[in-house]
Amino acid sequence: MASQFWKPGAERPPLLTDEDDGLFVMAAQPYYSSGYMTIERQRQTLPAFKHRTPLLYLIENHATTIVIGETGSGKTTQIPQYLVEGGWSEGGRLIACTQPRRIAVQTVAARVAEEMHVTLGQEVGYSIRFEDMTTPGVTKIKYLTDGVLLREMMEDPLLVRYSVIMVDEAHERSISTDILLGLLKKVQRRRPELRLIIASATLEARSIAAFFDTSAERRSQSQAMDLVFPSRKPAILSIEGKTFTVQIFYTEEPVSDYVRDAVSTVNSIHKLEPPGDILVFMTGQDEVDETVQLIQHETENRHSDLVALPLYAGLARVDQEHAFGPIPRGKRKVIVATNIAETSLTLEGIVYVVDSGFSKQRFYNPIKDVEALITAPISRASAQQRAGRAGRVRPGKCYRLYTEDDYTNLMSAETVPEIQRSNLTSTILQLKALGIDSIMRFDWLASPAPEAMVRALETIFAIGAIDSDAKLTSPTGFQIAEIPLHPMLGKTLIASCALGCALEMVTIAAALSVQSIWVPSRGRQKELDEAKLRFAASEGDHITYLNVFEGFLQSQRSAQWCHRNLINYQALKKVEDIRSHLSKLLQRLGLAVKSCERDIKVIQKAIVAGFFANACQLKISVEQGCYKRIRDGEEVFIHPSSVLFRVSPKWIIYHANTVTERHYVREITVIESPWLMELAPHFFHHKSMEY
Ligand code: ADP
Ligand code: MG
């Protein structure tokens, strides 16, 4: 079959239209059949397959090709393989495919390695932050997060190792996707031979096509520009396969508790509808777990044969695989997932979708400088994507747990790009490090709010990463930009090298970079509090992490020890991994990674050196744990998860903040107020401080 490719120089192959359905055999395929087909056969039944030759033609002839196709049509898994088959990896060149999410990177790379009958990490590899599973000289297809590709641009601004870069899931408009697209447009001017593929599940791609259309530029320079090769006019290819109709149902009245309603909807589908798996969309991990438990509980009570499985980004690899794997014969699978099942992961056999109508979305308030994850209504575009998941294998049904009126009047048409609702500190610093001096004039796909840009510039100026001309400082600014952590944490690490406590600080920074080092404690809060108390340091949460990690090493990395202490073993293994990455990085930057031999004060000072802007003073107030943030007087509260929750020390510094019912701060360390003047005099010079 490899002989069917279009070859450069050959006549342009016909582009298939939507009516041309000759090869499409999906309809004949019973929904449980994938296990009976060879992988090769399965690949050929995907909608992308019949577009393989036209696609290779377009990529050869256009600098940018935009591919639009339903989830599951084969964009992510097939296109990179077609590129290899079409010769784009010859001469040691790499094909990159970016994803907004780590979980999708790993899952998809594993799937493609399987399809190509190779070991993951060889011809097909992946790279996510702190984990590189590629083999130089061997790897041809590299799946990676868009954030990691951005980091690679710091060392290799023109991405010369890559022949083709496919930016996938572009419709999601993650911050890194937006930034990457802006930068790739610049790279293309310097490297006309580079090919870009932008893959999207929705038609919103038209605005991206307009963004990449540089065909009208620099016409006057040379008449020969008409002959320019490849064409700088983006090509658009729709690989829309046949999807089946999905019948949509709305609730008559607004729903007050969508978790409960989802569970009863699942039960009635199971009772009344023919076989077919069910996919339920919830907003976050807690809700997913709760829904799974409720379904399992009812299943046991009623002796029904539902198997409920969770799917979310923080799930361990083995548990993720359950959601993709087979279940016992005669049972019906219910996958309860977050947004990740909306477009980035394909699940087989889904016929029914239950849509809560909500997702967790990031919102940033640049005035309060707080980013919150808020459960908010999804957009109509998202609702359509979710419904579409039911029509992949045969006609399906989608049960929306909201009214038609809410769909029409309450939901917005499209999701707001993440860059317009996020803290931009890391983003702006990275752009600076990539040589983009004028942030305001950067070719943004969508411009962020000016207040958010100003706030970000203030922060990176305060930590000394840029000077008063907004130029990156040397070496501090460059060093902070090199560290793949929030710039304030990066500054803390650099300060810890100077203060002689970097060995401790890399452990703390690593612990702050994993989801949680404690096991989830639904209904076991008291037990968890007791476990925490065993390690609690009077200096606060950062030093507590250090105690936990030291205990782990003393236990010879015992899983049982972790279990006994309600500590997440996998998370600690990850911490160990990340800390070694970080200490190698610091050494590479020429910095000294030494231990302070339990001189805790220097660790506290290093934290102050990075996070001084988050210093707070206890308020003489009626409410327990109420603080005033020094820089702006904002009122904040210690989060109950902190070991300092009931302690209320006079001066604290925090790592993170969230607004729920209150403005909470978490990951807290006790400080002494003179340290603020000592370590950040420029910042506190004009602020009034009462001792
Ligand atoms: P797209 O990127 O267009 O959404 P994908 O390339 O991810 O589509 O998936 C194409 C097809 O490959 C899916 O419909 C499914 O049949 C199969 N597939 C993808 N990932 C997996 C997986 N992890 N396990 C089994 N099959 C998979
Ligand atoms: Mg995909």
Side-chain angles (χ1 to χ4, degrees), residues 311-486:
L311 184 63
Y312 45 79
L315 212 59
R317 268 305 281 283
V318 277
D319 294 325
Q320 279 169 33
E321 274 152 23
H322 285 308
F324 295 96
I327 56 161
R329 263 186 105 81
K331 298 213 180 229
R332 192 200 295 259
K333 181 149 82 172
V334 185
I335 296 169
V336 186
T338 59
N339 241 2
I340 60 172
E342 198 172 291
T343 59
S344 50
L345 296 176
T346 313
L347 296 157
E348 289 291 293
I350 302 294
V351 179
Y352 308 98
V353 164
V354 179
D355 174 14
S356 64
F358 287 89
S359 69
K360 278 221 176 17
Q361 294 163 35
R362 209 168 353 174
F363 287 95
Y364 175 62
N365 176 340
I367 310 299
K368 287 193 170 201
D369 191 23
V370 60
E371 210 170 37
L373 267 182
I374 292 170
T375 300
I378 57 173
S379 64
R380 287 198 291 275
S382 279
Q384 281 159 18
Q385 285 299 323
R386 289 180 174 190
R389 304 279 59 74
R392 284 273 302 131
V393 285
R394 60 186 171 90
K397 292 184 177 173
C398 173
Y399 300 83
R400 291 180 169 164
L401 302 180
Y402 40 90
T403 62
E404 187 163 12
D405 194 50
D406 281 351
Y407 174 79
T408 322
N409 299 317
L410 189 70
M411 292 179 169
S412 59
E414 302 282 349
T415 313
V416 177
E418 196 182 25
I419 201 154
Q420 293 176 333
R421 44 188 174 86
S422 304
N423 178 321
L424 299 173
T425 311
S426 297
T427 305
I428 301 282
L429 181 62
Q430 261 196 303
L431 284 175
K432 290 272 171 197
L434 289 165
I436 311 295
D437 277 329
S438 176
I439 301 294
M440 303 288 174
R441 283 209 305 266
F442 182 67
D443 199 354
W444 301 98
L445 205 51
S447 283
E451 297 84 4
M453 288 203 254
V454 169
R455 174 66 78 189
L457 286 166
E458 278 173 6
T459 305
I460 58 176
F461 174 70
I463 59 171
I466 53 172
D467 60 23
S468 51
D469 295 328
K471 286 255 187 311
L472 208 61
T473 56
S474 180
T476 309
F478 284 97
Q479 288 171 339
I480 297 175
E482 281 278 334
I483 300 172
L485 297 173
H486 189 280

Side-chain angles (χ1 to χ4, degrees), residues 72-73 114 149 156 169 229 234 243 285 360 402 411 433 540 558 582 584:
S73 54
E114 188 190 337
L149 190 63
D156 178 10
E169 306 288 331
F229 184 84
T243 48
Q285 180 171 338
K360 278 221 176 17
Y402 40 90
M411 292 179 169
S558 152
L582 288 174
K584 276 189 211 123

Side-chain angles (χ1 to χ4, degrees), residues 74-88:
K75 301 181 298 298
T76 312
T77 57
Q78 305 308 303
I79 294 175
Q81 294 187 68
Y82 301 163
L83 292 169
V84 170
E85 292 159 1
W88 285 94

